[in-house]
Amino acid sequence: QMQLVESGGGLAQPGDSLKLSCVASGGMPFKDYTMGWFRQTPGKEREFVAAVSWAAGETYYAEAVKGRFTVSRDNAKSTADLLMNSLKPEDTAVYYCAAGPRSTPDAGRYRYWGQGTQVTVSA
């Protein structure tokens, strides 16, 4: 059973940057999983943000964050990061990292989830 713990959320102003980190422990080797980032606001379904494949050779982004967010991973440290630049108020959400067998925007395909970290973007 893999455990995922996110950190790095908080309050930011529009245009600011934040970096979220996800640390994995337990379960199958971290390098065998795609790592995804999702976000959720009250009353809405969990939304795909970005994913990085197990080999870190392929990254995927939702259109809403493309060009502003960068996803990366360090297999040696079992970590996955989400660097968020040029933040907008509509980026406000609880952000979750997740681990799954392949890169997909479908949240149902991810096997393990962190507890989430709140990101609030407000002037």
Side-chain angles (χ1 to χ4, degrees):
Q1 190 83 1
M2 178 180 284
Q3 289 81 44
L4 302 174
V5 178
E6 304 97 335
S7 61
L11 178 64
Q13 293 188 339
D16 281 355
S17 297
L18 279 178
K19 182 180 176 181
L20 305 182
S21 294
C22 176
V23 179
S25 61
M28 292 179 61
F30 177 78
K31 64 177 181 62
D32 291 343
Y33 285 93
T34 279
M35 296 303 297
W37 287 94
F38 291 77
R39 64 188 182 187
Q40 190 170 25
T41 53
K44 292 189 177 181
E45 292 189 356
R46 203 161 288 189
E47 174 189 29
F48 172 75
V49 175
V52 54
S53 67
W54 64 271
E58 296 178 340
T59 55
Y60 308 86
Y61 297 95
E63 284 299 322
V65 306
K66 198 172 290 184
R68 299 188 297 122
F69 290 13
T70 303
V71 63
S72 62
R73 67 187 295 159
D74 185 334
N75 288 337
K77 297 181 179 179
S78 296
T79 60
D81 293 337
L82 183 68
L83 176 61
M84 306 184 294
N85 294 324
S86 303
L87 283 164
K88 303 176 181 180
E90 50 264 44
D91 294 321
T92 295
V94 177
Y95 283 72
Y96 299 88
C97 71
R102 63 184 180 92
S103 298
T104 172
D106 182 354
R109 298 288 186 176
Y110 288 80
R111 192 170 302 168
Y112 303 109
W113 291 83
Q115 82 289 348
T117 185
Q118 176 71 46
V119 171
T120 302
V121 184
S122 175

